[in-house]
Amino acid sequence: MENLQKEPSGSPTNAQAALKKNTRVIAFWFFALVAGGFLGWLQIGWLNELFGFIATVFTRLFKFVAVPVIALAVITTLSQLGAKRETKQIFAHAIFYTLATTFAAALVALGLFILIAPENVPAAISAAGSAAVPKNLQSLSYYDHFLSVVPDNVLHPFLEGNVLSVLVIAVAVGLALAFMPRTEGRDSLLRVIFGLQELLFTLIRALLFILPVGILAFAGQLSSQIEAGVIVGSLGKYVAVVVTGNLLQFFVVLPHFLLARRINPLRVLKGMFPALAVALFSKSSAGTLPVTLASAEQNLRLDRRVTRFVLPICTTINMNGCAAFILVTSLYLMQNAGIAITGGTMAVWVVVAVIAAIGNAGVPMGCYFLTLSLMSSLNVPVDLMGVILPVYAIIDMIETAVNVASDSCVATMTDHDLKGKLPPAESDAPDAPVPQAA
């Protein structure tokens, strides 16, 4: 495996050509966003149906590659790094920055909750939302959620798309390969695994090539929904707290983390733009992982040993936007249920929100379902979740983009801290080529 930080950048002419190409691609993506939004706003029936079809196709394709990407990235990385010191270094930095950014997101949201102080929703409105609450989730407990992470067979987590269970399996297999004796059977197995990864990244390159069509459809679909009144109304101050908290995390908190490590936030934002755009519309950080990996490795030139270890893990545990949503929504539901919200209660729930976010799966509406299960397990009335549901589509988009931005920042800061400190990479199997992000 090559250390991308040490790759030559090429001649100035090549660097300028690459910069111009990247700028053109980003401009094309912006054009697709604007054009899709405008076409969706026109409310052309057959065109909106086409946008819906294309958006569904791309969502399914992302789900198709997301779970194998997580499994193969973790397995191949751990199989080479094993229990070596660099693995511990990478993991320690990733966990530190994950906890730091997630706690920061929760604290920012708490500050806004105290400052804006959303009032209780009238009982009639809250009761009216009971019909919209997914009834099959009210019986779930938080204990059941964590128990579901433990796989009971190999295939079930992959078929169900259970990201956390897949991560557990991948870590176990990767570590087992790392500690196995270097036999011919182990080498043959690794060659197959790396071959599968190469095949998957070839599919990802093809998907990224046609992705502007998907962005056009996603933007058109969202615009038509807003214009048609599907996504309307809000709970006012509550929505303001959640959305503002996420925006502050994206535009203020995360850039300051990067600046503290002397990293240019604009460079990171520009390099990760493809992944952020996909996250915004797909509403799945796990589904966005292929583009996140490609953007980090190709645009930011991060060490693959860092990206392929940190990003799959961060996709499942680094949930800044989710922590803010869980904290604010839990406090809001408890407040509406008549539970006194004291300083001690807030402090406890900051910790609970961070832990819950770490245990959340990076899938659409994951935070919503997790908060619903958490409140149900505490016997807090969840009728208000039905009132929140119509506006959660917008919240989910924003918080997913924040999650992916945070993943990117954690990987970038880890790579920055360990630059020059990791030993030359060993290779017991060929690396899969880096998919082109932009």
Side-chain angles (χ1 to χ4, degrees):
M1 187 182 298
E2 299 175 357
N3 187 334
L4 292 184
Q5 291 291 352
K6 296 182 180 179
E7 288 182 354
S9 59
S11 65
T13 302
N14 291 338
Q16 291 174 0
L19 179 61
K20 289 181 180 179
K21 178 183 177 182
N22 192 36
T23 302
R24 287 196 302 268
V25 170
I26 291 178
F28 185 56
W29 279 58
F30 271 117
F31 174 77
L33 286 171
V34 174
F38 175 74
L39 292 174
W41 176 77
L42 294 177
Q43 289 296 335
I44 303 174
W46 67 268
L47 188 58
N48 289 341
E49 291 182 8
L50 179 62
F51 283 155
F53 173 77
I54 296 175
T56 302
V57 168
F58 271 87
T59 301
R60 292 175 69 90
L61 289 175
F62 279 124
K63 289 181 179 179
F64 171 74
V65 297
V67 173
V69 162
I70 293 173
L72 291 174
V74 173
I75 289 173
T76 54
T77 302
L78 288 179
S79 68
Q80 292 195 3
L81 298 181
K84 297 176 183 177
R85 188 168 65 91
E86 57 262 39
T87 308
K88 298 177 182 178
Q89 288 178 306
I90 295 172
F91 182 74
H93 281 75
I95 291 298
F96 172 78
Y97 286 127
T98 291
L99 290 174
T101 56
T102 308
F103 267 108
L107 290 172
V108 167
L110 177 62
L112 289 171
F113 184 83
I114 296 173
L115 178 64
I116 298 178
E119 300 90 358
N120 289 348
V121 172
I125 296 178
S126 180
S130 60
V133 178
K135 297 298 187 295
N136 60 320
L137 291 176
Q138 292 197 43
S139 60
L140 293 179
S141 68
Y142 206 52
Y143 168 82
D144 294 328
H145 172 75
F146 277 106
L147 188 61
S148 68
V149 173
V150 181
D152 55 1
N153 64 66
V154 175
L155 295 179
H156 189 261
F158 290 90
L159 296 175
E160 292 287 321
N162 190 325
V163 178
L164 290 175
S165 293
V166 170
L167 183 64
V168 170
I169 294 174
V171 169
V173 173
L175 291 176
L177 287 169
F179 287 105
M180 280 178 64
R182 290 177 175 263
T183 63
E184 183 178 348
R186 173 184 181 274
D187 293 340
S188 298
L189 180 58
L190 279 173
R191 278 193 290 270
V192 171
I193 293 174
F194 275 87
L196 289 173
Q197 189 177 51
E198 183 176 350
L199 172 63
L200 188 63
F201 280 170
T202 302
L203 295 175
I204 292 172
R205 285 199 298 272
L207 183 58
L208 292 176
F209 180 77
I210 61 173
L211 191 56
V213 178
I215 293 299
L216 179 74
F218 282 128
Q221 184 185 51
L222 176 64
S223 178
S224 66
Q225 289 175 336
I226 295 175
E227 177 64 19
V230 175
I231 304 175
V232 295
S234 70
L235 300 182
K237 292 183 177 180
Y238 159 78
V239 175
V241 171
V242 177
V243 172
T244 304
N246 277 287
L247 294 178
L248 286 175
Q249 183 73 7
F250 188 95
F251 290 106
V252 179
V253 177
L254 291 177
H256 275 79
F257 269 97
L258 293 172
L259 289 172
R261 306 305 303 145
R262 298 183 179 179
I263 300 171
N264 185 351
L266 294 179
R267 182 181 70 86
V268 176
L269 179 63
K270 181 179 179 181
M272 298 306 298
F273 175 78
L276 296 174
V278 173
L280 185 69
F281 292 105
S282 70
K283 296 180 282 189
S284 171
S285 51
T288 309
L289 180 61
V291 188
T292 309
L293 278 168
S295 300
E297 294 177 5
Q298 185 65 27
N299 296 345
L300 298 185
R301 311 298 290 172
L302 303 186
D303 191 322
R304 273 182 262 176
R305 290 176 293 177
V306 173
T307 59
R308 298 186 187 185
F309 184 76
V310 172
L311 289 175
I313 291 177
C314 281
T315 294
T316 57
I317 68 172
N318 187 38
M319 299 285 181
N320 289 188
C322 192
F325 176 81
I326 292 174
L327 174 66
V328 174
T329 305
S330 297
L331 292 177
Y332 192 51
L333 261 64
M334 289 189 292
Q335 171 185 297
N336 277 269
I339 300 175
I341 307 299
T342 64
T345 302
M346 294 179 182
V348 169
W349 276 92
V350 166
V351 178
V352 172
V354 170
I355 296 174
I358 290 174
N360 180 58
V363 296
M365 295 192 69
C367 296
Y368 181 90
F369 293 146
L370 182 56
T371 305
L372 179 58
S373 298
L374 180 59
M375 291 291 97
S376 297
S377 67
L378 297 177
N379 295 319
V380 174
V382 294
D383 291 350
L384 195 55
M385 293 296 289
V387 182
I388 294 171
L389 186 58
V391 295
Y392 184 74
I394 297 295
I395 295 174
D396 200 14
M397 292 175 64
I398 297 172
E399 68 184 21
T400 304
V402 172
N403 290 340
V404 172
S406 180
D407 296 346
S408 306
C409 291
V410 170
T412 303
M413 291 187 290
T414 300
D415 179 85
H416 175 272
D417 291 352
L418 298 180
K419 186 181 297 183
K421 298 180 181 179
L422 297 178
E426 299 177 5
S427 179
D428 18 34
D431 262 337
V434 180
Q436 303 291 325

